[in-house]
Amino acid sequence: MDFRTQRRTLEVLSDLFQRKPQVGRVRFRPQRAGGRGLGYTGALLPRSSPEREGLSSRQLLEFLRRAQVHPTINPHTLMVLRHGKVVCSCSFAPYREDVWHVTHSMCKSLTALAVGMLVGEGKLSLEEHICDIFPGRLSPLANPLAFRRMKAVTVRHLLTMSSGVNFNEAGAVTSEDWLGDFFSSGVGFEPGAKFAYNSMNSYMLSAIVKRKTGLGLSAYLRPRLFEPLGFGDVAWETCPQGIEKGGWGMYVYLEDIAKLGQLYLQKGKWTGADGKEQRLLSAAWVEAAVKPDTVHENGEEYGYQLWPHSADHTYMFNGMFGQYVVVAPDLDLVLAVNAGAGNLFTRSRSYTAVREFLKAVARAPAPLP
């Protein structure tokens, strides 16, 4: 934990111990999305039957039943797309598909997608140093020991969770200036040397989008992604300065997170309601994003704010407690799920169940009756 975070945490604990009427130093207001998020208003994906798209209804039903009865998976909503069409869509009481759901870290992949669009527009390079993007933010006096390493941090290091910056989510709880505290933080290792998961890297990517375009993530993505894909309502929590958190705090519908997986599966192309195909994201970006770049200490691979799995040629947008979008290009299949599982990273019983289902699909004879 960063020194400043330790100090602020001790201040909070001291206030609690002394039973002060006001605890901490941060003015905090819970953010609420208002009356939205009830009733899906976006464009529905095309529907088909499982067998028509080469899937077994029996296998799907078996997968759903296993997920439902397993003590740790706790599924809320689930959707399967094959050949771009929804072949399975369901919810588990009391959850409903037409009510949006928190994504946790799954929205990191959306933040990376926005960065990819900026790169495609020629407004950003992954090799840019963040201190050049935010001139005047980095001072040798703030943290002399970390100054040299912080100067070396690039956009690519943020994307691949390899910046080494110590300021993290715990520090954000006690801070009102996330940008300032990021730049004055310690840096635990040479940027790019290894993987260290830190959601403040994603926040910095969000701040870069705002810096480069003058628009927050939601405003930037609306005409470029949300409208072309026909999203319903979206909400994204912000930091004290009004910048979307980037790495968490997003609410979206299951139908729409499934569209994201399909967009990546189609390497950035999308066919709109008018039947016209358009390119929203470059194929080169998608191909680079889903390749393993760094490796988590438990062996999990990491790309551009998503989790590739080289062993079975899949990749996943992942949020804690089982907010998954799993893309299987070899099977032309996307699986999206919201859940309340007890896991942070990808190694979990719920993800194992998904992989077992994908293996069963790969073994199935084709065509099915």
Side-chain angles (χ1 to χ4, degrees), residues 31-33 36-37 99-114 206 217-219 221-222 225-226 229 231-238 243-254 256-258 260 317 319-320 323 325 338:
Q31 297 178 10
R32 300 197 178 269
R36 297 177 299 165
V99 177
W100 63 13
H101 198 286
V102 66
T103 58
H104 297 301
S105 290
M106 194 278 288
C107 66
K108 286 179 168 68
S109 301
L110 266 154
T111 302
L113 187 152
S206 174
L217 272 176
S218 298
L221 288 173
R222 186 164 293 112
L225 182 75
F226 297 161
L229 266 62
F231 268 43
D233 294 328
V234 174
W236 211 326
E237 297 173 3
T238 61
I243 299 170
E244 279 95 340
K245 293 177 179 178
W248 71 101
M250 185 185 191
Y251 294 79
V252 69
Y253 291 96
L254 179 73
D256 294 336
I257 65 171
L260 294 176
F317 310 160
M320 68 177 183
Q323 320 318 314
V325 178
N338 293 130

Side-chain angles (χ1 to χ4, degrees), residues 59-268:
Q59 285 180 341
L60 277 168
L61 188 57
E62 183 179 358
F63 169 58
L64 295 177
R65 284 174 172 166
R66 286 181 177 178
Q68 185 177 25
V69 301
H70 196 277
T72 65
I73 295 179
N74 190 22
H76 296 170
T77 56
L78 186 144
M79 181 174 286
V80 179
L81 278 67
R82 187 81 188 279
H83 307 323
K85 299 176 182 177
V86 177
V87 296
C88 174
S89 179
C90 65
S91 59
F92 301 81
Y95 299 93
R96 290 164 34 192
E97 295 175 84
D98 63 343
V99 177
W100 63 13
H101 198 286
V102 66
T103 58
H104 297 301
S105 290
M106 194 278 288
C107 66
K108 286 179 168 68
S109 301
L110 266 154
T111 302
L113 187 152
V115 170
M117 289 181 167
L118 266 183
V119 171
E121 293 171 6
K123 297 178 180 177
L124 180 68
S125 165
L126 298 191
E127 310 315 320
E128 281 189 65
H129 293 87
I130 63 171
C131 61
D132 294 332
I133 298 173
F134 298 97
R137 280 287 188 173
L138 179 60
S139 168
L141 302 177
N143 196 327
L145 295 176
F147 180 72
R148 180 186 61 81
R149 287 179 173 175
M150 186 65 78
K151 281 191 70 174
V153 176
T154 65
V155 177
R156 185 181 299 276
H157 294 141
L158 300 176
L159 270 175
T160 58
M161 294 291 179
S162 61
S163 72
V165 176
N166 293 332
F167 181 63
N168 57 19
E169 301 95 315
V173 174
T174 60
S175 169
E176 290 189 341
D177 182 5
W178 294 8
L179 268 174
D181 283 352
F182 190 92
F183 277 108
S184 61
S185 171
V187 184
F189 53 81
E190 293 294 333
K194 61 181 181 179
F195 177 95
Y197 192 84
N198 181 354
S199 292
M200 299 314 293
N201 289 321
S202 310
Y203 167 75
M204 289 298 294
L205 294 173
S206 174
I208 288 170
V209 172
K210 184 74 175 282
R211 177 75 178 180
K212 291 286 187 177
T213 67
L215 301 170
L217 272 176
S218 298
Y220 176 75
L221 288 173
R222 186 164 293 112
R224 294 167 175 84
L225 182 75
F226 297 161
E227 291 176 359
L229 266 62
F231 268 43
D233 294 328
V234 174
W236 211 326
E237 297 173 3
T238 61
C239 77
Q241 280 73 44
I243 299 170
E244 279 95 340
K245 293 177 179 178
W248 71 101
M250 185 185 191
Y251 294 79
V252 69
Y253 291 96
L254 179 73
E255 187 100 14
D256 294 336
I257 65 171
K259 293 173 185 176
L260 294 176
Q262 189 64 33
L263 178 66
Y264 265 67
L265 180 61
Q266 296 169 178
K267 295 192 174 181

